[in-house]
Amino acid sequence: MESKKAFTEFGKIIDRLGRLSDDLIEVIDKQIEAVVSSSGEDIEQYVEEYTHLRGVFKEQEHKFIDHLQTMLNNAGISSVEIRLESLKKAYPEKVNTISDWQAKLESQMETLKARHQKLNNLLEFAVEKNMQLMYSIYSLHNKKNTRYSAGGSKEEISSGIALNKEA
C-alpha cells in the first residue's frame, strides 16, 4: 500500500511539473510578444514572472528527482542514473502510465527548449539591429558634427558628442 501512495504522490509531482512548464511556455510567449512590441515595462514584468516560475520549477524538479530516487531505492533498484525508465521495473503494472509521463515530460521540455531558442534568436536579432542603428547614428556626417579648428581646417566631432550637445 505504501508503494501505491508513493506512486500516486509521484503522479502529482509530475502534474505540477507539467502545469509549471505550461506556465513557463506561456510567459516565454508573452516575453516574445513584449520584445516584438518593444515594450520595456512588459519585458521587465515577464522576466520577473519567468524568474519566479523558474525557481518554483527548479524546486519541483528536485522533488521529482528525490521522490524518484526514494521510490527506486524502496523497490530495491539501485542504478547509477536516476531515470524514469527505471521505474518501469519497480511498477510493471504501471508501464503505460509511466510511458505517458515520459512522453508528456519530453514533449513539454522540447516545447520549452524551442520557445527558449525562439526568444534567444529574437533577442540576438534585436541586439544586432540595435547595434546597426547605433552605428548608423554615430557615423552620420553632416554640418552639425563638424567644426573648424583653430587653424581654419574642418574637423569632425564625434557624433555622440554632437548628439549630447544638442540634447
Side-chain angles (χ1 to χ4, degrees):
M1 189 64 181
E2 185 68 30
S3 66
K4 188 172 185 172
K5 182 179 177 185
F7 192 84
T8 303
E9 180 60 31
F10 193 60
K12 290 178 184 178
I13 291 170
I14 290 174
D15 287 342
R16 280 185 235 126
L17 271 174
R19 284 192 305 276
L20 284 168
S21 63
D22 288 341
D23 291 346
L24 284 168
I25 290 167
E26 183 179 326
V27 170
I28 291 171
D29 287 341
K30 289 178 182 178
Q31 284 178 320
I32 290 170
E33 290 174 22
V35 169
V36 168
S37 67
S38 299
S39 174
E41 289 176 10
D42 287 349
I43 293 170
E44 187 175 332
Q45 174 190 342
Y46 297 133
V47 165
E48 288 176 14
E49 190 175 334
Y50 176 83
T51 302
H52 169 73
L53 280 173
R54 185 69 184 143
V56 175
F57 187 84
K58 283 277 190 198
E59 289 174 16
Q60 202 62 37
E61 278 182 322
H62 289 297
K63 284 182 183 179
F64 171 85
I65 293 167
D66 292 343
H67 199 84
L68 179 57
Q69 185 172 24
T70 301
M71 289 176 68
L72 291 172
N73 289 342
N74 290 344
I77 299 173
S78 58
S79 158
V80 176
E81 288 186 316
I82 301 168
R83 298 179 49 97
L84 194 53
E85 185 71 31
S86 304
L87 200 57
K88 292 178 181 179
K89 296 175 190 168
Y91 297 91
E93 71 281 1
K94 301 285 189 174
V95 169
N96 290 340
T97 302
I98 296 168
S99 294
D100 290 345
W101 288 343
Q102 282 179 301
K104 177 182 178 181
L105 290 173
E106 287 172 6
S107 171
Q108 288 175 319
M109 293 309 112
E110 285 299 317
T111 303
L112 265 173
K113 183 179 174 182
R115 291 300 198 299
H116 273 288
Q117 188 62 44
K118 183 176 180 180
L119 180 59
N120 285 338
N121 290 343
L122 181 61
L123 290 172
E124 287 175 10
F125 175 78
V127 166
E128 178 66 28
K129 290 302 173 188
N130 192 33
M131 283 185 348
Q132 290 174 0
L133 176 64
M134 295 307 289
Y135 178 79
S136 296
I137 289 172
Y138 287 112
S139 63
L140 289 174
H141 295 288
N142 59 31
K143 64 182 179 186
K144 292 184 179 180
N145 63 354
T146 58
R147 67 181 178 95
Y148 289 96
S149 70
S153 62
K154 271 188 171 182
E155 291 182 353
E156 291 183 15
I157 298 175
S158 169
S159 294
I161 295 169
L163 288 173
N164 289 333
K165 285 183 178 178
E166 285 185 37

mmCIF file of all heavy atoms in Angstrom, residues 55-103:
data_model
loop_
_atom_site.group_PDB
_atom_site.id
_atom_site.type_symbol
_atom_site.label_atom_id
_atom_site.label_comp_id
_atom_site.label_asym_id
_atom_site.label_seq_id
_atom_site.Cartn_x
_atom_site.Cartn_y
_atom_site.Cartn_z
ATOM 1 N N GLY A 55 12.235 29.416 -10.602
ATOM 2 C CA GLY A 55 12.630 28.984 -9.263
ATOM 3 C C GLY A 55 11.702 27.908 -8.718
ATOM 4 O O GLY A 55 12.154 26.901 -8.159
ATOM 5 N N VAL A 56 10.395 28.114 -8.893
ATOM 6 C CA VAL A 56 9.406 27.125 -8.444
ATOM 7 C C VAL A 56 9.583 25.825 -9.228
ATOM 8 O O VAL A 56 9.506 24.725 -8.656
ATOM 9 C CB VAL A 56 7.969 27.682 -8.602
ATOM 10 C CG1 VAL A 56 6.932 26.627 -8.268
ATOM 11 C CG2 VAL A 56 7.773 28.914 -7.728
ATOM 12 N N PHE A 57 9.845 25.949 -10.521
ATOM 13 C CA PHE A 57 10.053 24.774 -11.375
ATOM 14 C C PHE A 57 11.267 23.975 -10.897
ATOM 15 O O PHE A 57 11.223 22.745 -10.825
ATOM 16 C CB PHE A 57 10.228 25.213 -12.835
ATOM 17 C CG PHE A 57 10.285 24.086 -13.814
ATOM 18 C CD1 PHE A 57 9.119 23.521 -14.308
ATOM 19 C CD2 PHE A 57 11.498 23.575 -14.253
ATOM 20 C CE1 PHE A 57 9.159 22.474 -15.227
ATOM 21 C CE2 PHE A 57 11.551 22.530 -15.162
ATOM 22 C CZ PHE A 57 10.376 21.982 -15.652
ATOM 23 N N LYS A 58 12.359 24.675 -10.569
ATOM 24 C CA LYS A 58 13.577 24.011 -10.082
ATOM 25 C C LYS A 58 13.284 23.238 -8.795
ATOM 26 O O LYS A 58 13.752 22.118 -8.628
ATOM 27 C CB LYS A 58 14.689 25.031 -9.833
ATOM 28 C CG LYS A 58 15.372 25.514 -11.056
ATOM 29 C CD LYS A 58 16.434 24.539 -11.473
ATOM 30 C CE LYS A 58 17.273 25.151 -12.573
ATOM 31 N NZ LYS A 58 18.012 24.152 -13.286
ATOM 32 N N GLU A 59 12.531 23.861 -7.889
ATOM 33 C CA GLU A 59 12.159 23.175 -6.643
ATOM 34 C C GLU A 59 11.386 21.897 -6.955
ATOM 35 O O GLU A 59 11.628 20.848 -6.350
ATOM 36 C CB GLU A 59 11.308 24.084 -5.763
ATOM 37 C CG GLU A 59 12.040 25.236 -5.133
ATOM 38 C CD GLU A 59 11.090 26.186 -4.397
ATOM 39 O OE1 GLU A 59 9.935 25.814 -4.120
ATOM 40 O OE2 GLU A 59 11.532 27.309 -4.108
ATOM 41 N N GLN A 60 10.458 21.998 -7.890
ATOM 42 C CA GLN A 60 9.639 20.844 -8.254
ATOM 43 C C GLN A 60 10.490 19.763 -8.913
ATOM 44 O O GLN A 60 10.263 18.575 -8.703
ATOM 45 C CB GLN A 60 8.495 21.285 -9.175
ATOM 46 C CG GLN A 60 7.332 20.357 -9.192
ATOM 47 C CD GLN A 60 6.669 20.215 -7.830
ATOM 48 O OE1 GLN A 60 6.553 21.161 -7.060
ATOM 49 N NE2 GLN A 60 6.236 19.034 -7.512
ATOM 50 N N GLU A 61 11.479 20.176 -9.700
ATOM 51 C CA GLU A 61 12.400 19.210 -10.305
ATOM 52 C C GLU A 61 13.157 18.429 -9.232
ATOM 53 O O GLU A 61 13.340 17.210 -9.348
ATOM 54 C CB GLU A 61 13.417 19.917 -11.208
ATOM 55 C CG GLU A 61 12.935 20.245 -12.586
ATOM 56 C CD GLU A 61 14.012 20.904 -13.427
ATOM 57 O OE1 GLU A 61 14.797 21.720 -12.903
ATOM 58 O OE2 GLU A 61 14.070 20.590 -14.630
ATOM 59 N N HIS A 62 13.597 19.155 -8.202
ATOM 60 C CA HIS A 62 14.309 18.488 -7.108
ATOM 61 C C HIS A 62 13.393 17.505 -6.386
ATOM 62 O O HIS A 62 13.831 16.395 -6.039
ATOM 63 C CB HIS A 62 14.882 19.517 -6.133
ATOM 64 C CG HIS A 62 16.031 20.300 -6.695
ATOM 65 N ND1 HIS A 62 17.220 19.727 -7.063
ATOM 66 C CD2 HIS A 62 16.153 21.624 -6.953
ATOM 67 C CE1 HIS A 62 18.037 20.649 -7.532
ATOM 68 N NE2 HIS A 62 17.407 21.817 -7.481
ATOM 69 N N LYS A 63 12.148 17.892 -6.176
ATOM 70 C CA LYS A 63 11.183 16.973 -5.557
ATOM 71 C C LYS A 63 11.004 15.736 -6.434
ATOM 72 O O LYS A 63 10.928 14.612 -5.937
ATOM 73 C CB LYS A 63 9.828 17.655 -5.349
ATOM 74 C CG LYS A 63 9.786 18.616 -4.209
ATOM 75 C CD LYS A 63 8.399 19.204 -4.060
ATOM 76 C CE LYS A 63 8.361 20.240 -2.961
ATOM 77 N NZ LYS A 63 7.027 20.845 -2.818
ATOM 78 N N PHE A 64 10.910 15.956 -7.733
ATOM 79 C CA PHE A 64 10.755 14.866 -8.694
ATOM 80 C C PHE A 64 11.919 13.880 -8.563
ATOM 81 O O PHE A 64 11.722 12.666 -8.435
ATOM 82 C CB PHE A 64 10.689 15.451 -10.113
ATOM 83 C CG PHE A 64 10.738 14.438 -11.219
ATOM 84 C CD1 PHE A 64 9.586 13.810 -11.652
ATOM 85 C CD2 PHE A 64 11.938 14.125 -11.856
ATOM 86 C CE1 PHE A 64 9.612 12.881 -12.690
ATOM 87 C CE2 PHE A 64 11.979 13.202 -12.880
ATOM 88 C CZ PHE A 64 10.815 12.577 -13.304
ATOM 89 N N ILE A 65 13.130 14.404 -8.587
ATOM 90 C CA ILE A 65 14.325 13.557 -8.522
ATOM 91 C C ILE A 65 14.407 12.832 -7.180
ATOM 92 O O ILE A 65 14.666 11.625 -7.130
ATOM 93 C CB ILE A 65 15.601 14.389 -8.791
ATOM 94 C CG1 ILE A 65 15.605 14.872 -10.241
ATOM 95 C CG2 ILE A 65 16.859 13.597 -8.475
ATOM 96 C CD1 ILE A 65 16.621 15.943 -10.547
ATOM 97 N N ASP A 66 14.172 13.568 -6.089
ATOM 98 C CA ASP A 66 14.229 12.960 -4.763
ATOM 99 C C ASP A 66 13.193 11.853 -4.608
ATOM 100 O O ASP A 66 13.488 10.777 -4.087
ATOM 101 C CB ASP A 66 14.033 14.014 -3.666
ATOM 102 C CG ASP A 66 15.190 14.993 -3.580
ATOM 103 O OD1 ASP A 66 16.277 14.699 -4.129
ATOM 104 O OD2 ASP A 66 15.001 16.075 -2.972
ATOM 105 N N HIS A 67 11.972 12.127 -5.054
ATOM 106 C CA HIS A 67 10.893 11.144 -4.928
ATOM 107 C C HIS A 67 11.178 9.923 -5.810
ATOM 108 O O HIS A 67 10.961 8.782 -5.375
ATOM 109 C CB HIS A 67 9.548 11.778 -5.299
ATOM 110 C CG HIS A 67 8.373 11.028 -4.780
ATOM 111 N ND1 HIS A 67 7.899 11.192 -3.507
ATOM 112 C CD2 HIS A 67 7.591 10.085 -5.358
ATOM 113 C CE1 HIS A 67 6.855 10.391 -3.327
ATOM 114 N NE2 HIS A 67 6.648 9.703 -4.442
ATOM 115 N N LEU A 68 11.676 10.151 -7.006
ATOM 116 C CA LEU A 68 12.015 9.050 -7.901
ATOM 117 C C LEU A 68 13.110 8.183 -7.286
ATOM 118 O O LEU A 68 13.023 6.957 -7.293
ATOM 119 C CB LEU A 68 12.451 9.581 -9.268
ATOM 120 C CG LEU A 68 12.861 8.557 -10.327
ATOM 121 C CD1 LEU A 68 11.735 7.558 -10.595
ATOM 122 C CD2 LEU A 68 13.266 9.261 -11.608
ATOM 123 N N GLN A 69 14.124 8.835 -6.740
ATOM 124 C CA GLN A 69 15.213 8.089 -6.118
ATOM 125 C C GLN A 69 14.708 7.273 -4.931
ATOM 126 O O GLN A 69 15.069 6.103 -4.783
ATOM 127 C CB GLN A 69 16.320 9.040 -5.669
ATOM 128 C CG GLN A 69 17.534 8.323 -5.117
ATOM 129 C CD GLN A 69 18.679 9.267 -4.864
ATOM 130 O OE1 GLN A 69 18.487 10.466 -4.675
ATOM 131 N NE2 GLN A 69 19.881 8.737 -4.860
ATOM 132 N N THR A 70 13.853 7.859 -4.114
ATOM 133 C CA THR A 70 13.283 7.151 -2.972
ATOM 134 C C THR A 70 12.473 5.948 -3.439
ATOM 135 O O THR A 70 12.590 4.850 -2.872
ATOM 136 C CB THR A 70 12.397 8.106 -2.138
ATOM 137 O OG1 THR A 70 13.201 9.197 -1.695
ATOM 138 C CG2 THR A 70 11.789 7.399 -0.956
ATOM 139 N N MET A 71 11.649 6.147 -4.459
ATOM 140 C CA MET A 71 10.828 5.045 -4.970
ATOM 141 C C MET A 71 11.703 3.916 -5.515
ATOM 142 O O MET A 71 11.433 2.738 -5.271
ATOM 143 C CB MET A 71 9.872 5.550 -6.053
ATOM 144 C CG MET A 71 8.753 6.413 -5.512
ATOM 145 S SD MET A 71 7.704 7.097 -6.821
ATOM 146 C CE MET A 71 6.900 5.618 -7.421
ATOM 147 N N LEU A 72 12.756 4.269 -6.236
ATOM 148 C CA LEU A 72 13.650 3.249 -6.781
ATOM 149 C C LEU A 72 14.391 2.519 -5.662
ATOM 150 O O LEU A 72 14.532 1.288 -5.700
ATOM 151 C CB LEU A 72 14.640 3.869 -7.771
ATOM 152 C CG LEU A 72 14.044 4.371 -9.083
ATOM 153 C CD1 LEU A 72 15.096 5.144 -9.893
ATOM 154 C CD2 LEU A 72 13.474 3.235 -9.902
ATOM 155 N N ASN A 73 14.853 3.257 -4.669
ATOM 156 C CA ASN A 73 15.541 2.634 -3.528
ATOM 157 C C ASN A 73 14.613 1.697 -2.770
ATOM 158 O O ASN A 73 15.011 0.601 -2.381
ATOM 159 C CB ASN A 73 16.102 3.692 -2.581
ATOM 160 C CG ASN A 73 17.283 4.440 -3.179
ATOM 161 O OD1 ASN A 73 17.896 3.981 -4.139
ATOM 162 N ND2 ASN A 73 17.581 5.592 -2.623
ATOM 163 N N ASN A 74 13.371 2.139 -2.543
ATOM 164 C CA ASN A 74 12.395 1.312 -1.827
ATOM 165 C C ASN A 74 12.052 0.039 -2.606
ATOM 166 O O ASN A 74 11.704 -0.975 -2.006
ATOM 167 C CB ASN A 74 11.123 2.089 -1.523
ATOM 168 C CG ASN A 74 11.342 3.158 -0.472
ATOM 169 O OD1 ASN A 74 12.337 3.146 0.251
ATOM 170 N ND2 ASN A 74 10.421 4.104 -0.395
ATOM 171 N N ALA A 75 12.143 0.122 -3.929
ATOM 172 C CA ALA A 75 11.845 -1.043 -4.761
ATOM 173 C C ALA A 75 13.074 -1.945 -4.923
ATOM 174 O O ALA A 75 13.003 -2.981 -5.574
ATOM 175 C CB ALA A 75 11.346 -0.598 -6.125
ATOM 176 N N GLY A 76 14.197 -1.523 -4.341
ATOM 177 C CA GLY A 76 15.411 -2.328 -4.434
ATOM 178 C C GLY A 76 16.147 -2.182 -5.747
ATOM 179 O O GLY A 76 16.986 -3.007 -6.085
ATOM 180 N N ILE A 77 15.849 -1.137 -6.479
ATOM 181 C CA ILE A 77 16.507 -0.896 -7.767
ATOM 182 C C ILE A 77 17.573 0.169 -7.552
ATOM 183 O O ILE A 77 17.264 1.331 -7.296
ATOM 184 C CB ILE A 77 15.506 -0.435 -8.844
ATOM 185 C CG1 ILE A 77 14.462 -1.510 -9.064
ATOM 186 C CG2 ILE A 77 16.230 -0.080 -10.135
ATOM 187 C CD1 ILE A 77 13.331 -1.102 -9.969
ATOM 188 N N SER A 78 18.815 -0.275 -7.603
ATOM 189 C CA SER A 78 19.898 0.699 -7.467
ATOM 190 C C SER A 78 20.539 0.859 -8.832
ATOM 191 O O SER A 78 20.930 -0.110 -9.473
ATOM 192 C CB SER A 78 20.923 0.239 -6.429
ATOM 193 O OG SER A 78 21.446 -1.019 -6.781
ATOM 194 N N SER A 79 20.589 2.080 -9.244
ATOM 195 C CA SER A 79 21.096 2.385 -10.572
ATOM 196 C C SER A 79 22.009 3.593 -10.458
ATOM 197 O O SER A 79 21.819 4.448 -9.590
ATOM 198 C CB SER A 79 19.910 2.663 -11.495
ATOM 199 O OG SER A 79 20.279 3.413 -12.592
ATOM 200 N N VAL A 80 22.988 3.660 -11.328
ATOM 201 C CA VAL A 80 23.889 4.805 -11.325
ATOM 202 C C VAL A 80 23.104 6.057 -11.710
ATOM 203 O O VAL A 80 23.242 7.105 -11.099
ATOM 204 C CB VAL A 80 25.059 4.575 -12.299
ATOM 205 C CG1 VAL A 80 25.947 5.795 -12.385
ATOM 206 C CG2 VAL A 80 25.852 3.346 -11.894
ATOM 207 N N GLU A 81 22.258 5.929 -12.711
ATOM 208 C CA GLU A 81 21.435 7.051 -13.167
ATOM 209 C C GLU A 81 20.022 6.899 -12.615
ATOM 210 O O GLU A 81 19.455 5.808 -12.614
ATOM 211 C CB GLU A 81 21.357 7.091 -14.691
ATOM 212 C CG GLU A 81 22.629 7.513 -15.367
ATOM 213 C CD GLU A 81 22.438 7.670 -16.859
ATOM 214 O OE1 GLU A 81 21.799 6.794 -17.464
ATOM 215 O OE2 GLU A 81 22.922 8.673 -17.393
ATOM 216 N N ILE A 82 19.485 7.995 -12.161
ATOM 217 C CA ILE A 82 18.102 8.009 -11.693
ATOM 218 C C ILE A 82 17.258 8.415 -12.885
ATOM 219 O O ILE A 82 17.276 9.570 -13.296
ATOM 220 C CB ILE A 82 17.932 9.006 -10.527
ATOM 221 C CG1 ILE A 82 18.849 8.618 -9.391
ATOM 222 C CG2 ILE A 82 16.490 9.071 -10.079
ATOM 223 C CD1 ILE A 82 18.979 9.657 -8.319
ATOM 224 N N ARG A 83 16.548 7.432 -13.433
ATOM 225 C CA ARG A 83 15.765 7.674 -14.633
ATOM 226 C C ARG A 83 14.342 7.189 -14.428
ATOM 227 O O ARG A 83 14.105 6.191 -13.758
ATOM 228 C CB ARG A 83 16.394 6.956 -15.824
ATOM 229 C CG ARG A 83 17.803 7.436 -16.152
ATOM 230 C CD ARG A 83 18.394 6.678 -17.315
ATOM 231 N NE ARG A 83 17.488 6.613 -18.440
ATOM 232 C CZ ARG A 83 17.514 7.425 -19.494
ATOM 233 N NH1 ARG A 83 18.433 8.344 -19.561
ATOM 234 N NH2 ARG A 83 16.647 7.301 -20.468
ATOM 235 N N LEU A 84 13.426 7.875 -15.054
ATOM 236 C CA LEU A 84 12.024 7.485 -15.006
ATOM 237 C C LEU A 84 11.840 6.096 -15.615
ATOM 238 O O LEU A 84 10.998 5.319 -15.162
ATOM 239 C CB LEU A 84 11.179 8.529 -15.741
ATOM 240 C CG LEU A 84 9.679 8.510 -15.565
ATOM 241 C CD1 LEU A 84 9.285 8.535 -14.095
ATOM 242 C CD2 LEU A 84 9.046 9.677 -16.287
ATOM 243 N N GLU A 85 12.650 5.780 -16.599
ATOM 244 C CA GLU A 85 12.601 4.478 -17.262
ATOM 245 C C GLU A 85 12.808 3.341 -16.256
ATOM 246 O O GLU A 85 12.187 2.283 -16.360
ATOM 247 C CB GLU A 85 13.676 4.425 -18.352
ATOM 248 C CG GLU A 85 13.666 3.192 -19.199
ATOM 249 C CD GLU A 85 12.483 3.120 -20.140
ATOM 250 O OE1 GLU A 85 11.990 4.172 -20.579
ATOM 251 O OE2 GLU A 85 12.045 1.993 -20.426
ATOM 252 N N SER A 86 13.668 3.571 -15.266
ATOM 253 C CA SER A 86 13.956 2.546 -14.261
ATOM 254 C C SER A 86 12.735 2.218 -13.410
ATOM 255 O O SER A 86 12.635 1.129 -12.847
ATOM 256 C CB SER A 86 15.088 3.010 -13.351
ATOM 257 O OG SER A 86 16.228 3.336 -14.100
ATOM 258 N N LEU A 87 11.821 3.160 -13.319
ATOM 259 C CA LEU A 87 10.617 2.966 -12.501
ATOM 260 C C LEU A 87 9.721 1.869 -13.086
ATOM 261 O O LEU A 87 8.953 1.244 -12.353
ATOM 262 C CB LEU A 87 9.861 4.290 -12.392
ATOM 263 C CG LEU A 87 8.869 4.462 -11.257
ATOM 264 C CD1 LEU A 87 9.545 4.258 -9.915
ATOM 265 C CD2 LEU A 87 8.231 5.826 -11.318
ATOM 266 N N LYS A 88 9.862 1.622 -14.366
ATOM 267 C CA LYS A 88 9.050 0.585 -15.020
ATOM 268 C C LYS A 88 9.351 -0.799 -14.450
ATOM 269 O O LYS A 88 8.471 -1.662 -14.406
ATOM 270 C CB LYS A 88 9.262 0.595 -16.528
ATOM 271 C CG LYS A 88 8.708 1.828 -17.206
ATOM 272 C CD LYS A 88 8.985 1.820 -18.693
ATOM 273 C CE LYS A 88 8.448 3.070 -19.359
ATOM 274 N NZ LYS A 88 8.729 3.099 -20.796
ATOM 275 N N LYS A 89 10.580 -1.015 -14.001
ATOM 276 C CA LYS A 89 10.946 -2.297 -13.389
ATOM 277 C C LYS A 89 10.263 -2.472 -12.034
ATOM 278 O O LYS A 89 9.883 -3.577 -11.672
ATOM 279 C CB LYS A 89 12.466 -2.378 -13.212
ATOM 280 C CG LYS A 89 13.234 -2.377 -14.495
ATOM 281 C CD LYS A 89 14.724 -2.338 -14.214
ATOM 282 C CE LYS A 89 15.493 -2.101 -15.505
ATOM 283 N NZ LYS A 89 16.899 -1.777 -15.237
ATOM 284 N N ALA A 90 10.122 -1.372 -11.306
ATOM 285 C CA ALA A 90 9.518 -1.437 -9.978
ATOM 286 C C ALA A 90 7.999 -1.540 -10.050
ATOM 287 O O ALA A 90 7.367 -2.102 -9.157
ATOM 288 C CB ALA A 90 9.919 -0.209 -9.162
ATOM 289 N N TYR A 91 7.419 -0.982 -11.086
ATOM 290 C CA TYR A 91 5.960 -0.970 -11.249
ATOM 291 C C TYR A 91 5.580 -1.505 -12.622
ATOM 292 O O TYR A 91 5.105 -0.756 -13.480
ATOM 293 C CB TYR A 91 5.412 0.448 -11.068
ATOM 294 C CG TYR A 91 5.635 1.028 -9.700
ATOM 295 C CD1 TYR A 91 6.772 1.779 -9.417
ATOM 296 C CD2 TYR A 91 4.706 0.824 -8.683
ATOM 297 C CE1 TYR A 91 6.979 2.309 -8.155
ATOM 298 C CE2 TYR A 91 4.905 1.355 -7.421
ATOM 299 C CZ TYR A 91 6.052 2.091 -7.172
ATOM 300 O OH TYR A 91 6.251 2.613 -5.917
ATOM 301 N N PRO A 92 5.762 -2.801 -12.849
ATOM 302 C CA PRO A 92 5.467 -3.338 -14.186
ATOM 303 C C PRO A 92 4.002 -3.184 -14.587
ATOM 304 O O PRO A 92 3.697 -3.080 -15.776
ATOM 305 C CB PRO A 92 5.872 -4.815 -14.077
ATOM 306 C CG PRO A 92 6.027 -5.100 -12.642
ATOM 307 C CD PRO A 92 6.240 -3.809 -11.934
ATOM 308 N N GLU A 93 3.117 -3.107 -13.608
ATOM 309 C CA GLU A 93 1.692 -2.947 -13.917
ATOM 310 C C GLU A 93 1.353 -1.511 -14.326
ATOM 311 O O GLU A 93 0.267 -1.246 -14.838
ATOM 312 C CB GLU A 93 0.833 -3.378 -12.715
ATOM 313 C CG GLU A 93 0.871 -2.448 -11.517
ATOM 314 C CD GLU A 93 2.108 -2.578 -10.618
ATOM 315 O OE1 GLU A 93 3.005 -3.390 -10.887
ATOM 316 O OE2 GLU A 93 2.182 -1.822 -9.636
ATOM 317 N N LYS A 94 2.288 -0.592 -14.121
ATOM 318 C CA LYS A 94 2.056 0.823 -14.429
ATOM 319 C C LYS A 94 2.920 1.319 -15.588
ATOM 320 O O LYS A 94 3.128 2.514 -15.741
ATOM 321 C CB LYS A 94 2.353 1.682 -13.189
ATOM 322 C CG LYS A 94 1.519 1.351 -11.979
ATOM 323 C CD LYS A 94 0.122 1.869 -12.154
ATOM 324 C CE LYS A 94 -0.658 1.724 -10.844
ATOM 325 N NZ LYS A 94 -1.954 2.315 -10.911
ATOM 326 N N VAL A 95 3.394 0.398 -16.406
ATOM 327 C CA VAL A 95 4.293 0.755 -17.516
ATOM 328 C C VAL A 95 3.652 1.787 -18.444
ATOM 329 O O VAL A 95 4.308 2.753 -18.865
ATOM 330 C CB VAL A 95 4.726 -0.510 -18.298
ATOM 331 C CG1 VAL A 95 5.422 -0.134 -19.594
ATOM 332 C CG2 VAL A 95 5.619 -1.377 -17.437
ATOM 333 N N ASN A 96 2.373 1.622 -18.744
ATOM 334 C CA ASN A 96 1.704 2.573 -19.652
ATOM 335 C C ASN A 96 1.627 3.973 -19.047
ATOM 336 O O ASN A 96 1.856 4.969 -19.745
ATOM 337 C CB ASN A 96 0.298 2.074 -20.008
ATOM 338 C CG ASN A 96 0.334 0.856 -20.901
ATOM 339 O OD1 ASN A 96 1.330 0.581 -21.559
ATOM 340 N ND2 ASN A 96 -0.757 0.096 -20.914
ATOM 341 N N THR A 97 1.302 4.045 -17.759
ATOM 342 C CA THR A 97 1.233 5.345 -17.084
ATOM 343 C C THR A 97 2.599 6.008 -17.080
ATOM 344 O O THR A 97 2.722 7.203 -17.380
ATOM 345 C CB THR A 97 0.736 5.170 -15.629
ATOM 346 O OG1 THR A 97 -0.538 4.537 -15.653
ATOM 347 C CG2 THR A 97 0.638 6.496 -14.913
ATOM 348 N N ILE A 98 3.631 5.244 -16.759
ATOM 349 C CA ILE A 98 4.991 5.787 -16.730
ATOM 350 C C ILE A 98 5.417 6.238 -18.126
ATOM 351 O O ILE A 98 6.023 7.309 -18.281
ATOM 352 C CB ILE A 98 5.972 4.739 -16.144
ATOM 353 C CG1 ILE A 98 5.613 4.457 -14.683
ATOM 354 C CG2 ILE A 98 7.412 5.222 -16.262
ATOM 355 C CD1 ILE A 98 6.300 3.247 -14.086
ATOM 356 N N SER A 99 5.065 5.470 -19.138
ATOM 357 C CA SER A 99 5.381 5.866 -20.521
ATOM 358 C C SER A 99 4.665 7.153 -20.898
ATOM 359 O O SER A 99 5.234 8.016 -21.587
ATOM 360 C CB SER A 99 4.998 4.754 -21.495
ATOM 361 O OG SER A 99 5.793 3.613 -21.288
ATOM 362 N N ASP A 100 3.414 7.292 -20.447
ATOM 363 C CA ASP A 100 2.671 8.535 -20.701
ATOM 364 C C ASP A 100 3.358 9.720 -20.024
ATOM 365 O O ASP A 100 3.453 10.806 -20.605
ATOM 366 C CB ASP A 100 1.232 8.417 -20.196
ATOM 367 C CG ASP A 100 0.383 7.469 -21.032
ATOM 368 O OD1 ASP A 100 0.814 7.118 -22.155
ATOM 369 O OD2 ASP A 100 -0.707 7.079 -20.562
ATOM 370 N N TRP A 101 3.813 9.509 -18.782
ATOM 371 C CA TRP A 101 4.541 10.566 -18.078
ATOM 372 C C TRP A 101 5.794 10.966 -18.855
ATOM 373 O O TRP A 101 6.069 12.143 -19.025
ATOM 374 C CB TRP A 101 4.945 10.116 -16.679
ATOM 375 C CG TRP A 101 3.834 10.003 -15.688
ATOM 376 C CD1 TRP A 101 2.577 10.536 -15.773
ATOM 377 C CD2 TRP A 101 3.886 9.306 -14.447
ATOM 378 N NE1 TRP A 101 1.852 10.212 -14.658
ATOM 379 C CE2 TRP A 101 2.629 9.456 -13.823
ATOM 380 C CE3 TRP A 101 4.864 8.555 -13.804
ATOM 381 C CZ2 TRP A 101 2.328 8.907 -12.588
ATOM 382 C CZ3 TRP A 101 4.572 8.011 -12.561
ATOM 383 C CH2 TRP A 101 3.319 8.182 -11.956
ATOM 384 N N GLN A 102 6.527 9.952 -19.297
ATOM 385 C CA GLN A 102 7.745 10.233 -20.055
ATOM 386 C C GLN A 102 7.443 11.047 -21.305
ATOM 387 O O GLN A 102 8.121 12.047 -21.586
ATOM 388 C CB GLN A 102 8.435 8.925 -20.478
ATOM 389 C CG GLN A 102 9.210 8.251 -19.393
ATOM 390 C CD GLN A 102 9.826 6.954 -19.885
ATOM 391 O OE1 GLN A 102 9.113 6.060 -20.331
ATOM 392 N NE2 GLN A 102 11.138 6.867 -19.812
ATOM 393 N N ALA A 103 6.446 10.628 -22.044
ATOM 394 C CA ALA A 103 6.090 11.327 -23.286
ATOM 395 C C ALA A 103 5.666 12.764 -22.999
ATOM 396 O O ALA A 103 6.069 13.698 -23.708
ATOM 397 C CB ALA A 103 4.977 10.578 -24.007
#
